[in-house]
Amino acid sequence: MHDIRTIRTDPAAFDAAMARRGLPPIAADLMTLDTDRRAAQTALQEKQARRNALSKEIGQGKRTGADTAALEAEATALRNDMETLEKRVPELDATIRHILEVLPNILDASVPDGPDETTNVVLKQWGAPRKLDFPPKHHFELGEALGMMDFATAAKLAGARFTILRGPLARMERALGQFMLDLHTQHHGYLETIVPSLVNEATAYGTASLPKFEEDLFKTTDGRYLIPTAEVPLTNTVAGDIVAEKQLPIRLAALTDCFRSEAGSAGRDTRGMLRQHQFRKVELVCIAHPDKSADEHEWMTRSAETVLEQLGLPYRRMLLSSGDTGFQSTRTHDLEVWLPGQQMFREISSCSNCKDFQARRMNARFRAGQDGKTVANVHTLNGSGVAVGRALIAVMENYQQADGSIAVPEVLRPYMGGLDSITA
């Protein structure tokens, strides 16, 4: 959410920032509404003051026996005017808010301009794709041949974009999540947290899932929403709060099921479990001091990269361009892992700095300064640390053997009872 006061100080700069997002000028319309709202508010205050004065004059006149008819007529007219203004001010507030809540965050100056993912920039690459002496298979080919990945039964139970895992492959999926949580909590300073999988409308609104992206969410009959990521409940743990400066940064991690309707992705990644309605993910969230959020963005990205490095999975870090950066983000790093079956890099983590965009929606603040009298919005960050299902896909394809078995990465073996290979 943007601060109308900031837009007011430099409308041209705001329009330029929205132009980087491919949006037309909007500041002039906002300023007209803002001027009308402030004028209505001022008029209401002036009429309230006049009504109070009239009340005293009428009271005094009645006590002295003076004729107060004209004063009473003026008071009646004022009351009617005030009723109109008392409706007008919140209507203008709501109109301004409805415009602001669907405008994306301002991009960081370091974000390259470009229309889509084709203009993203490779910042680094780690590891070299393994050279296989046999034709690599896709994860779904490997999983079905092992008898441990079942799409047909999942479709019978729930429809398309669901998967059933069995046996050692199911255990590997569980092992990946436990390994990631242990790494982030024991070495990266994140606090393990268990959160609800259902949230109310205010919580979904706080992280900008609503109103713009409601079609991507699953809504229950009682008005709650299944979480698309643990970012939503984790970030909202400070909604409406004023935290002490010494508490920052607050680093949180959660392993949850995530639910997405995948609206707009018809025909994309229909084979396998790359794009699912339900999947598991380790989410990282940081509530940071504004002066430190850039450092926390790097820390979060490195935390996710460490997962891939310890699993021995080749990856690259991407800086997303203006046309590919998410609605609430000011700067985003995507981590893309190498998939031999597809012979390409695919996203496995996205780490974003949202600065104060979400905090303003949530009214999440901290008390700054030595005297503690200054109150300012915190900065929020979120990232995948990493998507468990996609990590499973990457391990399966990168550790596949010529006979169709899958070697277990050494770092996962303690979580799998010492198992070093998954075979049919």
Side-chain angles (χ1 to χ4, degrees):
M1 181 75 76
H2 298 287
D3 188 342
I4 190 67
R5 294 170 297 182
T6 302
I7 301 172
R8 193 186 300 149
T9 59
D10 196 343
F14 185 76
D15 277 341
M18 292 300 101
R20 295 190 67 199
R21 292 283 199 167
L23 297 178
I26 189 66
D29 292 341
L30 281 168
M31 290 303 95
T32 298
L33 289 167
D34 181 54
T35 299
D36 290 347
R37 186 201 63 79
R38 288 191 291 158
Q41 183 66 50
T42 299
L44 179 59
Q45 292 169 347
E46 290 174 348
K47 291 181 184 297
Q48 286 172 333
R50 177 56 182 158
R51 183 192 61 181
N52 293 337
L54 278 173
S55 180
K56 292 180 181 179
E57 292 179 32
I58 292 171
Q60 184 177 0
K62 288 184 179 295
R63 286 193 296 271
T64 60
D67 183 2
T68 60
L71 295 176
E72 291 176 21
E74 183 182 354
T76 299
L78 274 175
R79 186 165 54 252
N80 292 335
D81 290 345
M82 287 174 61
E83 287 177 357
T84 300
L85 290 169
E86 284 169 349
K87 294 179 181 178
R88 180 62 173 160
V89 171
E91 286 174 354
L92 288 167
D93 274 332
T95 300
I96 293 170
R97 187 176 185 86
H98 290 159
I99 294 173
L100 292 176
E101 67 189 7
V102 297
L103 293 176
N105 201 351
I106 293 174
L107 296 168
D108 189 81
S110 63
V111 172
D113 288 322
D116 50 37
E117 68 276 3
T118 61
T119 49
N120 294 343
V121 176
V122 180
L123 296 181
K124 64 179 281 190
Q125 184 165 329
W126 184 91
R130 174 183 162 208
K131 295 181 179 179
L132 303 175
D133 56 5
F134 57 90
K137 295 181 179 179
H138 292 275
H139 69 280
F140 49 84
E141 296 172 319
L142 293 162
E144 289 179 322
L146 289 167
M148 301 176 192
M149 188 175 283
D150 186 347
F151 300 101
T153 304
K156 178 179 70 174
L157 299 176
R161 297 193 188 277
F162 290 93
T163 308
I164 290 176
L165 299 176
R166 297 190 176 95
L169 210 55
R171 186 171 186 178
M172 178 180 278
E173 202 259 12
R174 173 162 56 94
L176 282 162
Q178 300 308 309
F179 156 66
M180 294 175 200
L181 274 181
D182 285 349
L183 181 64
H184 295 314
T185 57
Q186 296 173 19
H187 300 282
H188 299 150
Y190 289 88
L191 177 67
E192 183 174 354
T193 310
I194 295 177
V195 293
S197 292
L198 283 168
V199 295
N200 57 31
E201 183 177 345
T203 300
Y205 179 87
T207 47
S209 296
L210 294 177
K212 189 173 178 62
F213 302 104
E214 184 165 14
E215 67 174 0
D216 295 326
L217 306 178
F218 287 109
K219 187 176 183 179
T220 62
T221 55
D222 63 357
R224 288 179 287 190
Y225 295 86
L226 285 165
I227 59 171
T229 164
E231 170 205 347
V232 177
L234 285 175
T235 309
N236 274 277
T237 56
V238 296
D241 293 346
I242 302 176
V243 301
E245 187 173 12
K246 63 183 180 181
Q247 291 180 259
L248 304 176
I250 300 171
R251 297 175 182 152
L252 305 172
L255 170 60
T256 67
D257 284 314
C258 304
F259 305 89
R260 298 182 185 178
S261 70
E262 292 296 341
S265 65
R268 296 173 57 192
D269 301 313
T270 55
R271 292 293 307 275
M273 55 180 290
L274 198 65
R275 193 180 297 274
Q276 299 273 278
H277 289 310
Q278 177 182 343
F279 59 95
R280 292 177 70 74
K281 180 157 68 83
V282 172
E283 184 72 4
L284 305 177
V285 159
C286 181
I287 312 301
H289 190 289
D291 294 343
K292 300 293 184 180
S293 65
D295 294 337
E296 286 297 321
H297 191 208
E298 177 61 24
W299 180 267
M300 181 177 286
T301 305
R302 279 298 302 144
S303 297
E305 288 176 345
T306 303
V307 171
L308 303 180
E309 290 171 10
Q310 292 204 12
L311 288 170
L313 299 173
Y315 71 88
R316 62 186 187 182
R317 182 197 293 198
M318 310 295 292
L319 173 59
L320 300 195
S321 67
S322 59
D324 200 31
T325 301
F327 175 84
Q328 71 270 34
S329 305
T330 184
R331 177 185 167 102
T332 297
H333 296 150
D334 268 10
L335 302 184
E336 298 180 343
V337 68
W338 175 253
L339 297 183
Q342 294 191 19
Q343 287 291 293
M344 65 186 300
F345 286 96
R346 294 299 302 266
E347 178 200 338
I348 194 170
S349 173
S350 188
C351 298
S352 297
N353 187 352
C354 301
K355 294 188 177 178
D356 61 358
F357 186 79
Q358 292 176 323
R360 194 173 292 110
R361 296 172 80 101
M362 298 185 302
N363 195 28
R365 297 164 291 166
F366 74 104
R367 201 173 295 281
Q370 293 183 346
D371 58 5
K373 293 182 179 179
T374 303
V375 175
N377 289 115
V378 297
H379 280 193
T380 63
L381 302 94
N382 65 81
S384 305
V386 297
V388 178
R390 292 198 174 194
L392 177 66
I393 291 170
V395 168
M396 291 175 66
E397 294 197 10
N398 281 277
Y399 283 84
Q400 62 180 295
Q401 308 299 306
D403 62 359
S405 64
I406 300 167
V408 177
E410 187 173 348
V411 74
L412 293 183
R413 293 175 190 176
Y415 297 90
M416 298 189 66
L419 188 69
D420 60 8
S421 181
I422 295 177
T423 57

